[in-house]
Amino acid sequence: MASEAYITLTDVVFSRSGRRIFDGVTLDIPRGKITAIMGPSGTGKTTLLRLIGGQLKPDSGTIMVAGENVPRLRRKALYTLREKMGMLFQSGALFTDLSAFENVAFPLRVHTSLPEDMIRDIVLMKLEAVGLRGARDLMPSELSGGMTRRVALARSIALDPELIMYDEPFAGQDPIAMGVLVKLIRDLNSSMGLTSVLVSHDVPESLSICHYACIIADGHIIGEGTPAELRQHPSERVQQFLQGQPDGPVPFNYPAPDAGSDWGLTGGAR
Amino acid sequence: MMDRIAALGRLGFNVVATVGRAGYFLGGALAGVPKPAVGFPLLVRQLYSVGVLSLAIVVVSGLFIGMVLGLQGYTILSDYGSEAAVGQMIALTLVRELGPVVTALLFAGRAGSALTAEIGLMKATEQLSSMEMMGVDPLRRVIAPRLWAGFIAMPILAVIFSVVGIWGGMLVSVDWLGVFEGAFWGNMQSSVSFVDDVLNGVVKTVVFGFVCTWIAVFQGYDCVPTSAGISSATTKTVVYSSLAVLGLDFVLTAVMFGDF
Amino acid sequence: MAQRTTEIITGLFMIAGLAAVLVLALQVSGLSPKSAGDTYTLYANFNDVGGIAPRGKVAMAGVKVGSVRSVTLDKETFQARVELAIDADVDNIPADSSAVIRTSGILGDQYIDISIGGDMESLSPGDSFYSTQSAMNLERLITNFASGK
Ligand SMILES: Nc1ncnc2c1ncn2[C@@H]1O[C@H](COP(=O)(O)OP(=O)(O)O)[C@@H](O)[C@H]1O
Ligand SMILES: [Mg+2]
């Protein structure tokens, strides 16, 4: 890999409700690039982002972000580190009691003591970047799903972070909004030099904008590399996922006992 | 049999764990003094939604309860020719017991359930998570102002309840039933002590306010972030708060007014 | 709603709370700002105080003029010694007045009534009432009546 790593995960093990979600994940996310993390639903992509953000702690392993070991950070240091991170949640997660404008202004008001007119300029600039300057006075309940996510994006870049994490930004977007988002993500990365982590199961969109991609399944990374490398990847499982074939070595079903025993056929069939 | 014992053990373990989480949660919310410029508007906003918006139900309930006390008190006391004591009966009942307790029950139903649902929904829609990821601690930003607001609003609501109730009682017994007004107030004033009755009642409401709000915000924060989880958390808030208020009322009454 | 309106309404709410406390203090518990300390002390000895207790009412002609401060037992005479706090502006109680324990209504509270005497001199702070009349004890009354005394 050419550039240095901004985030480094080493042997991360994480279980939830007794189920092992990550079983020794090692991954480097390069600085200033767009990295796509792909995988079937429920493999723990969102969980991975929460681990990077320090909201969850791994059972073992280290997670280095900008040179700091996130699970070991004390509360205050963690909150300071998070000011350098932006995260776009799957649902947008706008504050429902604040207007679009106030949502974007929120991190500015909390973390800076800028005068009101400067806050206004910055907020309008960020809203303009996502094409919603005109929607500044709308409340979150008056926004469509796609608009919500764009306002949320404006909010997560309000403080000009070093790292931005997108959780399923394309899910449920119409083709135009999808195109707009793809362009936005790419522009943000190239103009501001943001390190971007993109979590998605939309293979074509993700591969079209990322510099680097990895595929997670069954708690392991089953393939990583540039989009071109991945397309040529020898592994059957990677190919199955990229091409969306229903049959193959990657199980589509949630782990379940043998079907026969659930339908009560085991005894009688013999 | 062994299963039963194991279930009991698990229940005990869960209770201890929940109490521990609730205590830790309280510590996190109340730790650190916020900047006044940031904290004050947040507190005012919450005082408005927790206190001012509960005022109507408190005033109406206080009025009716006072009027019923006046009516019942008059009927009973007039049998003994001492209907002039109705003022003292109304005032003592309201200031010592009904004011704090009924206000706390109304508060749990009106403001507590709203707090739980609001915070639970903020959790379910990832608003709390996203706040954390913005480097803002939701315990301090979301929970602390609500906790303080409940704590402050509750005693205010309770004294207003008592005053409105006494006024309602006077309306019925003096204006309608013809109890002599001088005797009404005179009896009341000679038997109600500011320190022993009024202030002890206020101490009760402070305790109730604290407990009800704590339960409400904790249930919201700790809920399972789904529709069913929020609805069960809201129910728990009302049930636990009511039980806590009634139980604590007995303990506090025994300590304050009991002779031991 | 605008932050400013919210602030004003919330301010009014807090003022209403303070006003309610004031009402409870002044109108309901009869705490009056001036009367605190403006009292003088008189004593009265009774054979039986009945239900008289601290904070009880002391009245003259039915009007409240003070309150009971304490009730103690005098170990020499085995009488109850009641300390009365009388309002300072009632400073002309005739020296031969008597303190009588009465009941308001049949089952109401007991209070101390001061029956006015005719003396030209008045009681001064620290004095004791010359004559007193103890609580009427229904039970004793009935016993006396039944035994024909
Ligand atoms: N709060 C939770 N408690 C227990 N298990 C959870 C919780 N949240 C998610 N999981 C489990 O973790 C796994 C990964 O979830 P997630 O990271 O949301 O998947 P993805 O984002 O890849 O779809 C899922 O299988 C889910 O069952
Ligand atoms: Mg997800």
Side-chain angles (χ1 to χ4, degrees):
Chain A
M1 198 185 333
S3 58
E4 51 164 330
Y6 186 76
I7 302 173
T8 311
L9 284 80
T10 317
D11 281 329
V12 172
V13 177
F14 181 75
S15 342
R16 209 157 195 187
S17 319
R19 207 161 69 83
R20 212 161 242 217
I21 294 176
F22 296 120
D23 194 5
V25 168
T26 299
L27 176 66
D28 281 339
I29 294 176
R31 180 187 292 275
K33 297 277 167 61
I34 301 175
T35 303
I37 296 174
M38 296 182 290
S41 300
T43 42
K45 303 183 297 293
T46 305
T47 309
L48 186 71
L49 294 187
R50 287 188 189 273
L51 283 167
I52 294 173
Q55 290 191 316
L56 298 174
K57 290 204 189 309
D59 302 342
S60 67
T62 57
I63 300 170
M64 305 292 292
V65 177
E68 312 229 44
N69 188 0
V70 175
R72 287 282 172 77
L73 283 183
R74 301 198 63 87
R75 214 192 79 96
K76 195 151 172 30
L78 182 60
Y79 275 94
T80 316
L81 177 66
R82 282 179 182 160
E83 289 174 34
K84 294 189 217 162
M85 301 181 182
M87 177 150 169
L88 179 62
F89 280 82
Q90 218 159 331
S91 61
L94 293 183
F95 302 133
T96 42
D97 53 342
L98 300 178
S99 67
F101 181 95
E102 284 302 323
N103 261 288
V104 181
F106 181 85
L108 295 168
R109 291 196 203 284
V110 176
H111 290 305
T112 68
S113 44
L114 294 173
E116 189 56 36
D117 53 343
M118 231 160 118
I119 289 187
R120 194 187 120 91
D121 288 350
I122 298 177
V123 172
L124 291 185
M125 207 173 77
K126 302 292 177 188
L127 280 173
E128 175 73 24
V130 296
L132 289 175
R133 189 162 49 86
R136 72 185 99 159
D137 291 327
L138 296 185
M139 295 304 283
S141 56
E142 298 166 316
L143 298 170
S144 75
M147 288 158 89
T148 304
R149 216 165 303 175
R150 275 147 70 195
V151 173
L153 178 56
R155 183 178 68 178
S156 43
I157 56 173
L159 283 173
D160 292 329
E162 294 175 5
L163 164 71
I164 183 157
M165 297 184 274
Y166 305 93
D167 193 0
E168 312 266 6
F170 309 125
Q173 298 279 28
D174 62 83
I176 298 176
M178 186 113 91
V180 171
L181 272 168
V182 167
K183 187 171 166 316
L184 258 172
I185 293 173
R186 193 182 285 143
D187 287 354
L188 281 172
N189 172 256
S190 57
S191 66
M192 296 164 62
L194 277 176
T195 304
S196 314
V197 180
L198 172 69
V199 157
S200 177
H201 46 230
D202 273 291
V203 176
E205 272 73 23
S206 305
L207 287 187
S208 74
I209 53 171
C210 71
H211 301 111
Y212 192 76
C214 67
I215 298 172
I216 308 184
D218 289 340
H220 296 279
I221 293 188
I222 56 169
E224 56 184 316
T226 61
E229 281 166 9
L230 273 183
R231 287 200 184 90
Q232 306 303 321
H233 204 281
S235 157
E236 239 183 292
R237 308 169 66 177
V238 172
Q239 291 308 323
Q240 184 213 345
F241 181 75
L242 291 183
Q243 286 153 28
Q245 289 153 349
D247 289 319
V250 181
F252 164 72
N253 292 336
Y254 192 88
D258 171 40
S261 65
D262 265 358
W263 277 288
L265 300 174
T266 337
R270 218 173 289 165
Chain B
M1 186 60 203
M2 273 333 206
D3 280 355
R4 296 262 170 84
I5 294 176
L8 199 66
R10 202 157 49 236
L11 179 73
F13 179 78
N14 282 341
V15 168
V16 171
T18 307
V19 170
R21 272 205 312 280
Y24 186 76
F25 162 86
L26 186 69
L30 297 183
V33 184
K35 280 180 277 179
V38 181
F40 185 72
L42 291 176
L43 180 63
V44 168
R45 229 185 126 91
Q46 292 309 320
L47 267 177
Y48 180 81
S49 62
V50 167
V52 176
L53 294 184
S54 309
L55 193 58
I57 187 173
V58 163
V59 166
V60 171
S61 317
L63 184 67
F64 279 116
I65 286 188
M67 286 165 62
V68 167
L69 282 177
L71 216 52
Q72 292 280 19
Y74 180 86
T75 318
I76 295 167
L77 291 172
S78 63
D79 284 350
Y80 304 100
S82 40
E83 60 267 22
V86 71
Q88 115 188 32
M89 189 207 90
I90 293 171
L92 284 180
T93 326
L94 280 171
V95 166
R96 285 182 175 185
E97 288 298 333
L98 290 186
V101 172
V102 176
T103 311
L105 295 179
L106 293 172
F107 183 86
R110 163 68 185 71
S113 58
L115 280 177
T116 305
E118 186 190 17
I119 295 171
L121 213 56
M122 288 177 88
K123 181 178 183 181
T125 54
E126 297 182 315
Q127 293 181 50
L128 296 182
S129 283
S130 76
M131 203 175 264
E132 258 179 41
M133 287 304 298
M134 276 184 243
V136 179
D137 187 349
L139 282 182
R140 297 196 184 165
R141 176 87 192 184
V142 176
I143 305 297
R146 284 168 171 77
L147 212 49
W148 282 112
F151 199 38
I152 298 172
M154 176 75 186
I156 296 181
L157 290 171
V159 290
I160 292 178
F161 182 96
S162 295
V163 167
V164 172
I166 290 171
W167 183 75
M170 188 201 71
L171 201 71
V172 168
S173 49
V174 174
D175 292 355
W176 296 356
L177 300 174
V179 172
F180 178 52
E181 183 163 7
F184 181 87
W185 292 115
N187 269 327
M188 190 189 294
Q189 290 172 356
S190 64
S191 59
V192 177
S193 143
F194 186 67
V195 174
D196 291 346
D197 299 319
V198 177
L199 287 191
N200 269 340
V202 171
V203 169
K204 276 189 182 179
T205 68
V206 170
V207 174
F208 295 164
F210 181 73
V211 171
C212 286
T213 326
W214 183 17
I215 290 177
V217 291
F218 176 71
Q219 286 297 339
Y221 192 79
D222 201 49
C223 76
V224 181
T226 58
S227 325
I230 294 171
S231 96
S232 105
T234 313
T235 309
K236 277 186 198 160
T237 292
V238 177
V239 173
Y240 292 173
S241 304
S242 309
L243 290 180
V245 164
L246 296 172
L248 277 173
D249 183 50
F250 175 73
V251 174
L252 289 174
T253 307
V255 171
M256 288 170 173
F257 303 108
D259 270 334
F260 44 75
Chain C
M1 184 171 326
Q3 177 76 17
R4 179 118 192 96
T5 327
T6 316
E7 274 174 17
I8 292 171
I9 296 177
T10 309
L12 290 177
F13 171 66
M14 316 252 324
I15 292 173
L18 276 184
V21 171
L22 274 184
V23 170
L24 287 183
L26 302 182
Q27 180 71 10
V28 174
S29 43
L31 216 62
S32 68
K34 65 167 176 17
S35 83
D38 287 1
T39 58
Y40 66 98
T41 308
L42 292 178
Y43 294 95
N45 297 315
F46 293 98
N47 290 327
D48 182 359
V49 281
I52 294 291
R55 297 204 284 115
K57 181 168 89 166
V58 179
M60 261 170 102
V63 180
K64 186 178 180 215
V65 294
S67 58
V68 174
R69 192 173 288 150
S70 68
V71 180
T72 49
L73 183 70
D74 184 333
K75 278 199 218 153
E76 281 167 20
T77 60
F78 296 108
Q79 278 191 315
R81 185 170 172 76
V82 179
E83 188 183 348
L84 308 172
I86 308 292
D87 291 352
D89 49 346
V90 188
D91 55 0
N92 56 347
I93 302 175
D96 61 345
S97 303
S98 54
V100 183
I101 296 180
R102 290 190 195 280
T103 308
S104 47
I106 291 184
L107 295 172
D109 265 352
Q110 287 185 318
Y111 67 97
I112 295 181
D113 186 60
I114 299 176
S115 299
I116 319 294
D119 206 324
M120 300 305 281
E121 274 177 52
S122 318
L123 288 169
S124 46
D127 284 354
S128 294
F129 281 95
Y130 176 70
S131 77
T132 60
Q133 191 179 320
S134 289
M136 180 181 70
N137 190 324
L138 266 182
E139 200 181 329
R140 192 184 302 153
L141 213 65
I142 292 168
T143 318
N144 290 353
F145 180 73
S147 62
K149 280 193 208 163

